[in-house]
Amino acid sequence: MKLLKAIQNNAKLHPERVVFISPTKQITYGELWQNSDQWAAFITAQNLNKQTPILVYGHMEPEMLVSFLGSAKAGHPYIPVDTSIPLDRVEKIISNSQTELLINVSGLELVLESSVKIITSEELGNYCGNSIDIDNWVRENDDFYIIYTSGSTGNPKGVQISANNLQSFVDWMLEDFPIDGGLRFLNQAPFSFDLSVMDLYPALASGGTLAAITKEMIAKPKILFEELMKSKTQVWTSTPSFVQMCLMDPSFTSELLPELSVFLFCGEILPITVCKQLRERFPNARIFNTYGPTEATVAVTFIEITDDMLNKYQTLPVGAAKSDTQIILLNEENIPVPEGKKGEIIIVGPSVSKGYLGQPELTNKAFFTHNGQQAYRTGDAGFIEQGLLFYKGRLDFQIKLHGYRMELEEIEYHIAKSQYVKSAVVVPIYQEDKIEYLSVLIIPAEHPFEKEYQLTGAIKKELGLVLPAYMIPRKFSYHKELPITPNGKVDRKEIREKVLL
Ligand code: AMP
């Protein structure tokens, strides 16, 4: 695979160059290449079923990268799972993916019910095996990684990204963005979110260095800013929400990061106000808006945001498709809509995933072939004007909150499973165009609590076992009944307009 060969080449040319810096450790290209060979040898010696995924559990340790490459060199896809994911969800991922081996690089003790073999980075560090033959590497249509996202049925779904999908993405990034040539990248998104792929593989393929921003840093702004300054970042990749948080501090300027030359954004609407502030505070940096879902490998459209655009548009475009990809807009009858008219965004091209692991029904609903190429129905609405795609929100109950993707139905499913709940509806609360927080309206079942806050505490405790913290609603309210539409569904519109007032 071209990407792995490029990383190998970087390891040969600059073995001493640092590839990844985390708060406690850093690792060079030479170490990354050698250690991942060793770990690949270990994986191969386990005689796992062909191409079964390896689950990699950790946060932003350099060993995450070693595990990813080790898996790929041994011919297995990896599933990155961040330590913020509750164990119940980890078990679901293991059972859906039929993972036989879990590499725990977190340093945390991991006690699971499933019988998966767990190996720690310390144990792997002592392993000596034969070096790995290039013929074993993941290639072409084999899965390179599988990222789990929120699923409306209550279970996360695993998006399979092949070596070819990833190669198409990395080639595009290095060709159409000014990020080639051994630059310093910021790694803000945890690896279980595909935004992390936007900095990880372009950096590795081009001999760059990544500086990790961990959740502990994000929780302490003073440390975050010290680390940002130390990082000397040149290429910034984050959600708009993250940069918006940084902008709240007046010291977030080109004085803090004098070498910053490129901002790459993806994952949610990029507000004009954010871009205007960035233009003022980082006058020499270029800003790119990109758009795409995990299912089409991170992003497929892009546009450089200029001052002209900031004056011209009310909402920024997400740009034009990369050269190997086509965007089609379809109406409800699956007929292409004319220019300027709203339709569902369909992505066709070589970076579109083959589907959800072990979920043929879900896959068939969302994926199809178009003129011999893989196509994905995004569930996003949009329109095209003068060759530029504009995003116009969702057609279903998937949302983005602080940059995190989630299905309201998944949250409702878990709340309704609580012993204290008869039924529940989760409603996003907006401030202007952006979701501020989630509110849940509950019809309670019988419960032993005197006060509502005790009931809320008990439900939240149950939820904490099954959902990541960012999916748990901020506001809980209790009702005798909830409005129902004539066809018997919960009337969300009525709730938004009347009940929540
Ligand atoms: P994820 O799979 O987490 O990357 O989320 C994909 C979804 O995020 C897309 O289907 C869109 O709904 C939304 N999204 C991604 N990029 C943008 C963007 N630039 N502007 C608006 N929404 C976006």
Side-chain angles (χ1 to χ4, degrees), residues 299-370:
V300 290
T301 74
F302 71 120
I303 186 157
E304 181 167 3
I305 304 299
T306 60
D307 290 334
D308 276 356
M309 283 179 200
L310 296 177
N311 297 325
K312 179 171 164 192
Y313 293 117
Q314 302 286 320
T315 321
L316 292 172
V318 295
K322 61 196 179 87
S323 64
D324 62 6
T325 295
Q326 200 191 348
I327 299 285
I328 306 173
L329 295 176
L330 296 182
N331 67 14
E332 280 167 7
E333 282 83 46
N334 279 334
I335 298 171
V337 298
E339 159 132 11
K341 287 272 175 294
K342 201 167 112 173
E344 179 174 6
I345 304 174
I346 312 294
I347 303 171
V348 188
S351 58
V352 175
S353 155
K354 57 172 82 87
Y356 303 114
L357 184 65
Q359 309 252 30
E361 254 180 56
L362 284 183
T363 301
N364 290 337
K365 256 200 215 162
F367 296 87
F368 60 102
T369 44
H370 177 81

Side-chain angles (χ1 to χ4, degrees), residues 194 266-270 289-295 298 318 378 380 391 394 398 400 405:
D194 88 330
C266 190
E268 55 183 349
I269 293 170
L270 178 60
N289 191 14
T290 73
Y291 156 87
T294 305
E295 286 85 343
V298 192
V318 295
T378 60
D380 290 326
Y391 172 81
R394 290 290 304 174
Q398 183 183 300
K400 277 288 167 97
R405 166 173 163 177

Side-chain angles (χ1 to χ4, degrees), residues 153-410:
T153 55
N155 289 322
K157 51 191 187 200
V159 181
Q160 298 172 267
I161 298 299
S162 70
N164 284 346
N165 293 153
L166 181 59
Q167 192 67 55
S168 155
F169 171 73
V170 174
D171 286 345
W172 168 56
M173 290 300 292
L174 293 181
E175 204 169 295
D176 281 350
F177 297 85
I179 59 171
D180 203 351
L183 300 179
R184 285 186 295 277
F185 290 70
L186 188 74
N187 174 221
Q188 178 262 316
F191 293 114
S192 46
F193 300 102
D194 88 330
L195 184 62
S196 62
V197 173
M198 189 173 254
D199 46 77
L200 176 59
Y201 288 111
L204 295 191
S206 62
T209 300
L210 291 137
I213 295 296
T214 61
K215 55 179 187 246
E216 290 78 21
M217 293 178 194
I218 295 174
K220 295 202 178 102
K222 191 171 166 287
I223 298 182
L224 170 65
F225 275 67
E226 278 167 17
E227 293 297 328
L228 281 177
M229 187 155 78
K230 271 200 255 160
S231 75
K232 298 197 179 118
T233 293
Q234 293 167 303
V235 181
W236 175 287
T237 308
S238 79
T239 55
S241 289
F242 183 72
V243 92
Q244 214 163 2
M245 188 194 84
C246 294
L247 281 166
M248 278 162 39
D249 191 313
S251 68
F252 185 65
T253 65
S254 57
E255 265 177 48
L256 183 81
L257 292 167
E259 292 177 71
L260 208 161
S261 59
V262 184
F263 283 102
L264 302 175
F265 294 113
C266 190
E268 55 183 349
I269 293 170
L270 178 60
I272 291 189
T273 47
V274 167
C275 294
K276 283 190 173 159
Q277 279 177 289
L278 290 178
R279 296 290 305 140
E280 274 167 27
R281 300 210 205 167
F282 297 88
N284 298 323
R286 298 168 69 180
I287 303 172
F288 291 87
N289 191 14
T290 73
Y291 156 87
T294 305
E295 286 85 343
T297 319
V298 192
V300 290
T301 74
F302 71 120
I303 186 157
E304 181 167 3
I305 304 299
T306 60
D307 290 334
D308 276 356
M309 283 179 200
L310 296 177
N311 297 325
K312 179 171 164 192
Y313 293 117
Q314 302 286 320
T315 321
L316 292 172
V318 295
K322 61 196 179 87
S323 64
D324 62 6
T325 295
Q326 200 191 348
I327 299 285
I328 306 173
L329 295 176
L330 296 182
N331 67 14
E332 280 167 7
E333 282 83 46
N334 279 334
I335 298 171
V337 298
E339 159 132 11
K341 287 272 175 294
K342 201 167 112 173
E344 179 174 6
I345 304 174
I346 312 294
I347 303 171
V348 188
S351 58
V352 175
S353 155
K354 57 172 82 87
Y356 303 114
L357 184 65
Q359 309 252 30
E361 254 180 56
L362 284 183
T363 301
N364 290 337
K365 256 200 215 162
F367 296 87
F368 60 102
T369 44
H370 177 81
N371 294 342
Q373 281 204 302
Q374 189 69 348
Y376 173 63
R377 290 176 206 282
T378 60
D380 290 326
F383 65 89
I384 292 182
E385 218 168 65
Q386 294 178 336
L388 296 180
L389 179 66
F390 288 78
Y391 172 81
K392 290 297 283 176
R394 290 290 304 174
L395 297 163
D396 59 10
F397 299 120
Q398 183 183 300
I399 57 147
K400 277 288 167 97
L401 174 63
H402 305 136
Y404 295 110
R405 166 173 163 177
M406 59 194 85
E407 302 275 353
L408 295 179
E409 290 151 303
E410 182 177 8

